[in-house]
Structure formats: C-alpha cells, structure tokens
Amino acid sequence: MSSSQTPTMPGNNILLIDDQSIFIKSISSILKDWGYQVDTSTSPLEALTIFKEKTYFLVICDLYMESFSGYKLLYRFGQERPEQICCLMTSAENDEPLLRKTLRLANVKGLIKKPVCFEQLKKLLADVPSLVLQNN
C-alpha cells in the first residue's frame, strides 16, 4: 500500500501480539509494506503495557500463548478500552471452546486463521472502518 493508500482512519497503528516471533516478523513486515505502523509483542504481559501507551486502529492477537490466552488478554483490553477493535488470530479449529468463547467478546470483530492468508488480512483491514462505525 503506498502512502496515498494509507487507511483513512485516525491513525494507522496496529498492535500485533503472538508468542511465536516467526508470525510477528512475517505479518508485521507485510503490514508495514501496506503503510501501517506496527507495534509488536511476543508477551501478553508486555502487550498490556504497550496497549495502555497509545490508541490503535486494530489489535491482532493470537489465541494460544505461553503465559496466558488471547481470551484473557482481549478481555482485559475490552475492560480497559471497550471501543478498541480486535481481531483474533489462530490455527484452532472452529469448534474449540476457547475460540468460540473469545469470539463472543464484544471487542473481537474478526478472525484470521493461521497460516495467515494475506488476502484475508487485507480484507479485514479494509473492513475495520465500518466496524468502528458499528461500535459507535
């Protein structure tokens, strides 16, 4: 995405959270190529601190991580900033209870399946402005 195609949302910051650095590197690289500013974290505890420091166009979070689940992290983000749009990223099967529970959180508006299809990611990013309007 060229700078003239940068999203029209107020800010284009994305917070990307995954405890596997290979996913962080590949996804953040493509997001940066598309014109987004990307903050990354491989630690849910670190992500909590980062989240409090600025506002984000979108938060993308893995479901299963070492210290605690994406569910717990996104639940806390929802308590802190209910209007924040979040997307879950996982290789979990659709019938897994934790996945279904997380998708019911009010701030979780999307699901990206691993391995990540960049066309699916691009579509999600294009949909974020309308999700923000639905939240207001």
Side-chain angles (χ1 to χ4, degrees), residues 37-94:
Q37 300 295 316
V38 183
D39 292 331
T40 62
S41 178
T42 56
S43 159
L45 293 174
E46 177 189 53
L48 282 169
T49 302
I50 294 170
F51 181 75
K52 292 176 183 181
E53 293 173 356
K54 68 168 98 163
T55 58
Y56 290 94
F57 170 74
L58 179 66
V59 172
I60 302 172
C61 182
D62 188 25
L63 180 60
Y64 292 109
M65 296 180 281
E66 285 279 319
S67 52
F68 56 83
S69 72
Y71 171 81
K72 288 181 183 176
L73 187 59
L74 295 176
Y75 176 83
R76 288 177 72 174
F77 286 175
Q79 297 297 301
E80 181 97 14
R81 202 176 305 146
E83 72 283 0
Q84 176 64 61
I85 301 295
C86 299
C87 175
L88 191 61
M89 183 171 57
T90 186
S91 59
E93 295 299 321
N94 290 341

Side-chain angles (χ1 to χ4, degrees), residues 1-125:
M1 184 178 280
S2 73
S3 59
S4 65
Q5 296 172 313
T6 300
T8 57
M9 293 295 297
N12 63 346
N13 298 320
I14 293 177
L15 176 56
L16 178 62
I17 308 150
D18 194 312
D19 61 348
Q20 296 181 32
S21 60
I22 189 147
F23 286 111
I24 291 280
K25 287 177 185 169
S26 63
I27 297 167
S28 66
S29 175
I30 196 80
L31 289 171
K32 288 175 183 176
D33 286 349
W34 291 346
Y36 292 93
Q37 300 295 316
V38 183
D39 292 331
T40 62
S41 178
T42 56
S43 159
L45 293 174
E46 177 189 53
L48 282 169
T49 302
I50 294 170
F51 181 75
K52 292 176 183 181
E53 293 173 356
K54 68 168 98 163
T55 58
Y56 290 94
F57 170 74
L58 179 66
V59 172
I60 302 172
C61 182
D62 188 25
L63 180 60
Y64 292 109
M65 296 180 281
E66 285 279 319
S67 52
F68 56 83
S69 72
Y71 171 81
K72 288 181 183 176
L73 187 59
L74 295 176
Y75 176 83
R76 288 177 72 174
F77 286 175
Q79 297 297 301
E80 181 97 14
R81 202 176 305 146
E83 72 283 0
Q84 176 64 61
I85 301 295
C86 299
C87 175
L88 191 61
M89 183 171 57
T90 186
S91 59
E93 295 299 321
N94 290 341
D95 61 349
E96 287 191 34
L98 186 60
L99 174 58
R100 290 196 319 259
K101 181 179 176 182
T102 307
L103 289 172
R104 286 193 298 265
L105 291 173
N107 58 335
V108 177
K109 303 294 184 182
L111 173 66
I112 298 285
K113 294 296 267 186
K114 288 181 177 178
V116 174
C117 167
F118 292 117
E119 287 305 313
Q120 183 186 16
L121 180 60
K122 190 179 277 190
K123 182 186 179 333
L124 174 81
L125 292 167

